[in-house]
Each structure stands twice: as C-alpha cells, then as structure tokens.
Amino acid sequence: MAALEPLDDPAPAAPAPPPPVALTGSSVSWRHAVGRAVELVRSGKPLLLTGERGTGKAALARELFGAAPVQVADAARDAGLDQALSGWQPDRLLLLRHAERLAQPGVAALNSLLDQHPDTRLLVTYTPGAPAGPCLQRLLDKLSARAVTLPPLRERTEDIRELLPALTPRPAPGQPPLTWTLDALRALEAYPWPGNVAELAHVVRALAEHRRASGPVRRAELPDAVREGPAARPLSPMEHAERAAILEALRRHGGNKARTAVALGIGRATLYRKLREYRR
C-alpha cells in the first residue's frame, strides 16, 4: 500500500519587472533606431544620438553602455569641456550630453580629438534647434555616418501603452498599480507630446503620486492639454511657445486659472480667450 500526499502548490512567480524605459516600445521606428544604435555601439566607434528633447537620448545611452565604466560630460555645465577632457582616460567610454550647448573651445577640442583618434569610444547626444555654427557642423558631419535619430513620441504613439507601466512608479505596499480607462488611453495617444517621453513620464508620476481617486485613471483626471487634445488648427512657432508657457503655468498652479493669469501678468478673460483659441 502506498500513501499519497499532495504536493505543495508552487509559489507564484513574481511578475517580471518592465523593461527599461529606454528600450520599451515595439513600433517599427523605435525598434529600428534602438537596433541601429546597438549595432554602432558594438563597433566601438563614435556614435551620435539625435532627436527632440525628451525622446530619451541620455537614457538610451546609459542602457547601451551597460555596466561599462563611463565618463559623462555635460556641455550644459561644462561648455568648453575643460573638466571632462582633462581627466578623461582614452580607454574609457565618454558620453557627451547636450552637444548643441558646446562653446567654441569645446567643439575645437572634440574635432581635434576625432582628427587624431577617429575610433575614440565616444557617444554624443544632440538636440537640433538653432542652426549649428561652422565648427559644430563640422563635428556633426564627422559623426553623420554613425548617427541615429530617435523618433518623437507623436510618431510612435502605439508605444504609449507599453511605456505606461515602465514609467509608473512602484506602488506602495498594499496599493494597486496604476491602470487606465480606454478613454484616458485614447486621450494619451491623441496628444502630440511636445516634450516626448519626458513629458509623458511627468504626467504619469504626478498622477501616481497625487491622485485621490481609486480605480483606473479617467480622462477627466488628465491635464487640461492632454484631456482636451491638440489644437485643431496649426499653430505658429510663437503660438506654440505661448501655449507651452500657459500650460506650464497652469501645471505649476494646480490648474487654477485665476492664479495662472496673475502669474502670467494677463487678465483672466485673456487667459480663457487664449485657451479657447488654441483648442480650435
């Protein structure tokens, strides 16, 4: 006679953590950009990552480097690269952020470095904007054959639903994860995201940290600009800048239009009129 004893149920597997934000997305444009960047980094030659602000250039650079020791130089703080290049060891990877902020001495130093050592292990991030000067353009031309442009979020909106879990902060113990209604998801996908993934991350973090409601996030909880959608007519560059300033002021003042109007130095009626104009 054999005695049979029930086996203990195996412990449920812990959910796999979401992939890093810099690698999240299955759209063709994003997978192509990431794949090309991985290929170029493996070649050991310099790489240029370009794209609008907030597209994830620096975050992708950190993922590409992995655990390798990296020296980071930021032209926004060290425009001449005096500190970065004085202590840099040629066998270490050098990540140069904000190349568009380089001063003339910094551009000249990098051009000279690449002239003497064209295989320098260098990754440069660059945000296009104002026309580049002759020296900076020469640097960009040198790197153009090994350049990858990251697509803006408005051109890969199908990735938004994959990005949301990766951008959401881990909930407190006993709290449910942040979820979204279908209407809210459609609003997120319709918005053009001028600040790209960085702007989406800000919206998600703010909701995760400050919302009082329970259950999935509803469209009504989204920021005004996201909830109401983009303006129906094309805006001029000046109107884009003004709209961005108004929305940022609204965000700072918790959506309170009276305080926003005072902070902007305009009347409340003017603020309402401008908001109506930008929704047409």
Side-chain angles (χ1 to χ4, degrees):
M1 180 179 293
L4 300 179
E5 294 183 1
L7 294 174
D8 293 335
D9 292 333
V21 174
L23 302 180
T24 299
S26 54
S27 62
V28 173
S29 60
W30 182 249
R31 297 322 306 170
H32 174 76
V34 172
R36 177 64 174 153
V38 169
E39 176 187 339
L40 290 171
V41 163
R42 286 174 180 167
S43 73
K45 295 183 178 180
L47 168 62
L48 173 66
L49 289 180
T50 71
E52 296 177 8
R53 67 182 179 88
T55 48
K57 299 183 291 292
L60 178 57
R62 289 191 291 269
E63 290 298 325
L64 292 173
F65 287 144
V70 179
Q71 179 166 339
V72 180
D74 191 339
R77 299 190 184 98
D78 182 16
L81 300 185
D82 299 325
Q83 299 174 8
L85 293 182
S86 62
W88 176 60
Q89 302 171 9
D91 60 334
R92 296 189 67 179
L93 291 161
L94 176 63
L95 168 60
L96 170 62
R97 300 186 59 198
H98 301 122
E100 69 280 359
R101 307 275 193 95
L102 281 170
Q104 190 70 16
V107 178
L110 270 186
N111 273 320
S112 176
L113 175 66
L114 289 175
D115 285 340
Q116 297 172 25
H117 306 284
D119 291 337
T120 296
R121 302 179 71 196
L122 170 69
L123 194 155
V124 177
T125 70
Y126 175 73
T127 302
C135 252
L136 179 56
Q137 189 58 57
R138 180 169 167 252
L139 174 65
L140 297 174
D141 290 342
K142 283 180 185 177
L143 299 172
S144 61
R146 296 183 294 277
V148 176
T149 300
L150 301 190
L153 187 55
R154 65 181 175 276
E155 293 179 6
R156 58 181 191 109
T157 54
E158 62 267 43
D159 290 338
I160 287 178
R161 298 193 190 197
E162 295 179 50
L163 283 164
L164 290 174
L167 294 170
T168 303
R170 186 185 299 276
Q175 295 296 317
L178 201 64
T179 57
W180 310 80
T181 64
L182 182 58
D183 197 30
L185 289 171
R186 287 172 175 163
L188 294 173
E189 291 167 344
Y191 184 62
W193 298 108
N196 294 293
V197 178
E199 183 182 3
L200 176 62
H202 174 80
V203 169
V204 172
R205 284 196 300 268
L207 282 167
E209 294 170 5
H210 303 301
R211 74 186 298 248
R212 296 290 182 264
S214 59
V217 176
R218 302 182 301 277
R219 187 188 190 110
E221 296 178 72
L222 300 176
D224 287 352
V226 181
R227 181 178 68 247
E228 294 162 5
R233 65 179 178 84
L235 301 181
S236 69
M238 184 66 72
E239 287 174 321
H240 269 298
E242 183 179 62
R243 182 175 186 265
I246 289 173
L247 294 177
E248 172 62 19
L250 278 167
R251 184 192 66 77
R252 286 200 312 269
H253 294 283
N256 185 299
K257 295 181 176 62
R259 291 202 299 267
T260 297
V262 171
L264 292 171
I266 60 178
R268 197 184 314 182
T270 302
L271 175 63
Y272 281 105
R273 176 176 57 79
K274 288 184 177 294
L275 289 173
R276 285 195 304 271
E277 287 175 355
Y278 292 147
R279 292 172 195 155
R280 289 174 189 165

